[in-house]
Amino acid sequence: MKLKYELIKKDKQTSARLGRLTTDHGSCETPIFMPVGTQASVKTLNPEELVAAGSSIVLANTYHLWLRPGEDVIEAAGGLHKFMNYSGPILTDSGGFQVFSLADTRKITEEGVTFKSHLDGSNLFLTPEKSIEIQSKLGSDIVMSFDECPAYPNTYDYIKDSALRTLRWAERGKKIKLKSHQNLFGIVQGGEFEDLRKMSALETVKIGFDGYAIGGTSVGEGKDVMYKMVEYATKYLPEDKPRYLMGVGDPLDFFEGIKRGIDMFDCVLPTRIARHGNAFTRSGKLNIRNLKYKLDFNPLEEKCDCYACQNFSKAYIRHLIIAKEVLGGRLLSIHNIRFLTKLMEDIRLSLKEDRFLEFEQEFLKQYKGK
């Protein structure tokens, strides 16, 4: 089946939306956070733990899976769902961000991008067509167009040329045949420039996609700039299609994105900060390495229903992190992902009950301690 987006309710005071996304591998309510499984694995978690943590859709990375084990291996396994034993919806990004962030030497032409593998230095060439062909073999439910993700800051002329190139690449990628259950999202670029964001959004919509993503954010710009980038684009995107803000996972950014009409978010943040001993809590981030937790036998968060909080204390998790035991990072990852999925559950409930802004203020007051 093709992806279906149902707009259930709109907030009366903002552009926030409550919706439902349905794919061949299940449905999920939006707004939603998608944990990132870069190598077809959300770091240290198994699929059952993801589901238990409230995850109903995950992201995998085209660039990394292309390099290893290779899209042909995954297709032979029956696609990503069978390969990683995850039955829910899966989104694959195009590889564009990795090409531009990991490759030290790259050459961008109209045809595609030439660069060196970060694994062995071998020469690689990725085109819009090749990106879609790889994702077709991966078998994800949502496939992303191949775009250029320019650095910030950049000149107006470069961003304009880049956005126009991304549009031409989107048209080329759309011609590649996908599997019957797959859906293609277009990506809006345009940097910090309002007229270029508008142009990119309108022209991407003209090409016609199953959903729309806002790219080129979280690349070094300030928060105020990022929020403007989102606002410049979402006002020109159709209401009957999902909107995805790529690479954003900070709780404060959720509210700002949702207020501007965003439905989907993804980020490596919850597992990345977990590996460094950090946990999200409703009272702000907690560094478990702090000596004050050595004799703290309470959970990371009293009212959290995650496996870590239901079974272990701060003192134990701190011990694991200090001792460099893998379980410490696992427990913090489980907690952090549950924290973000639960926050989204609470946001969706607030939208249903017409108290989104009120809930935002309650959350910010506790999270920022003000």
Side-chain angles (χ1 to χ4, degrees):
M1 64 174 288
K2 295 299 287 180
L3 177 146
K4 178 184 176 183
Y5 174 74
E6 178 187 358
L7 178 58
I8 297 173
K9 190 173 187 177
K10 293 174 65 177
D11 185 50
K12 296 175 182 177
Q13 297 174 279
T14 70
S15 295
R17 297 139 48 97
L18 181 70
R20 183 176 292 107
L21 196 65
T22 303
T23 74
D24 209 42
H25 288 92
S27 62
C28 49
E29 285 196 337
T30 61
I32 195 164
F33 172 73
M34 301 180 288
V36 175
T38 303
Q39 312 269 10
S41 169
V42 177
K43 288 192 186 303
T44 75
L45 272 67
N46 65 40
E48 291 78 16
E49 289 168 330
L50 278 173
V51 173
S55 171
S56 54
I57 178 171
V58 299
L59 181 147
N61 184 265
T62 294
Y63 169 83
H64 289 283
L65 295 176
W66 175 40
L67 297 191
R68 60 182 178 194
E71 68 274 21
D72 291 331
V73 172
I74 293 175
E75 184 177 43
L80 271 176
H81 295 88
K82 289 187 177 178
F83 188 61
M84 61 189 288
N85 191 32
Y86 183 79
S87 60
I90 298 174
L91 181 149
T92 46
D93 63 8
S94 69
F97 178 79
Q98 284 69 36
V99 168
F100 295 102
S101 64
L102 293 178
D104 292 329
T105 58
R106 57 182 176 269
K107 182 180 179 182
I108 305 168
T109 66
E110 186 64 24
E111 185 59 26
V113 186
T114 303
F115 59 102
K116 292 184 182 296
S117 166
H118 75 288
L119 295 178
D120 59 13
S122 60
N123 291 319
L124 299 169
F125 184 53
L126 191 58
T127 67
E129 292 86 354
K130 179 66 175 176
S131 173
I132 304 301
E133 288 167 359
I134 295 168
Q135 293 179 79
S136 176
K137 289 185 175 182
L138 295 177
S140 55
D141 298 279
I142 298 174
V143 169
M144 299 304 300
S145 294
F146 186 64
D147 64 323
E148 179 185 352
C149 184
Y152 176 90
N154 225 310
T155 65
Y156 180 90
D157 288 343
Y158 186 89
I159 295 296
K160 181 178 180 180
D161 289 344
S162 173
L164 291 171
R165 183 184 300 114
T166 288
L167 286 168
R168 294 190 293 271
W169 284 358
E171 289 181 319
R172 285 165 53 187
K174 193 183 176 188
K175 295 176 183 177
I176 303 302
K177 184 175 177 59
L178 294 171
K179 292 181 170 61
S180 60
H181 74 279
Q182 292 185 300
N183 308 273
L184 183 61
F185 278 30
I187 302 177
V188 176
Q189 288 289 350
E192 63 183 299
F193 304 104
E194 183 172 7
D195 61 328
L196 296 183
R197 284 283 173 182
K198 176 181 178 181
M199 178 275 295
S200 179
L202 291 174
E203 294 302 315
T204 304
V205 171
K206 280 184 186 177
I207 297 171
F209 291 95
D210 300 306
Y212 297 90
I214 297 172
T217 67
S218 294
V219 290
E221 79 281 5
K223 297 286 190 181
D224 57 335
V225 175
M226 181 176 76
Y227 301 150
K228 287 179 181 177
M229 288 176 174
V230 174
E231 204 165 299
Y232 292 158
T234 50
K235 65 176 76 173
Y236 301 108
L237 299 178
E239 284 199 344
D240 62 344
K241 303 287 184 182
R243 303 163 180 171
Y244 164 30
L245 181 56
M246 306 174 74
V248 172
D250 186 280
L252 303 181
D253 295 338
F254 287 171
F255 288 99
E256 296 296 336
I258 290 166
K259 279 194 283 191
R260 291 164 173 81
I262 295 297
D263 307 302
M264 304 164 67
F265 300 81
D266 84 278
C267 195
V268 298
L269 192 62
T271 52
R272 176 175 287 168
I273 69 170
R275 294 194 298 277
H276 296 284
N278 293 288
F280 287 122
T281 77
R282 290 292 172 112
S283 300
K285 264 191 236 172
L286 174 157
N287 186 344
I288 200 67
R289 294 176 178 273
N290 195 306
L291 185 61
K292 68 182 180 180
Y293 300 122
K294 186 174 183 177
L295 292 171
D296 189 335
F297 302 110
N298 297 302
L300 293 167
E301 190 150 48
E302 288 291 346
K303 295 183 180 180
C304 180
D305 60 2
C306 81
Y307 173 77
C309 288
Q310 292 295 307
N311 293 279
F312 303 102
S313 68
K314 294 191 191 82
Y316 178 66
I317 297 173
R318 179 183 185 276
H319 156 68
L320 294 175
I321 293 294
I322 296 296
K324 298 183 179 179
E325 286 287 341
V326 174
L327 181 58
R330 270 175 43 74
L331 293 174
L332 288 174
S333 293
I334 288 170
H335 170 78
N336 286 344
I337 288 175
R338 178 55 186 154
F339 178 90
L340 295 182
T341 60
K342 180 65 167 65
L343 177 56
M344 284 298 188
E345 289 171 8
D346 291 343
I347 288 173
R348 293 195 297 268
L349 180 61
S350 75
L351 287 168
K352 290 176 184 176
E353 297 178 347
D354 295 315
R355 55 178 186 87
F356 171 64
L357 288 180
E358 179 184 338
F359 173 68
E360 179 192 27
Q361 291 306 309
E362 292 170 0
F363 178 85
L364 295 182
K365 184 177 180 181
Q366 185 178 0
Y367 193 75
K368 290 184 172 182
K370 297 179 181 178

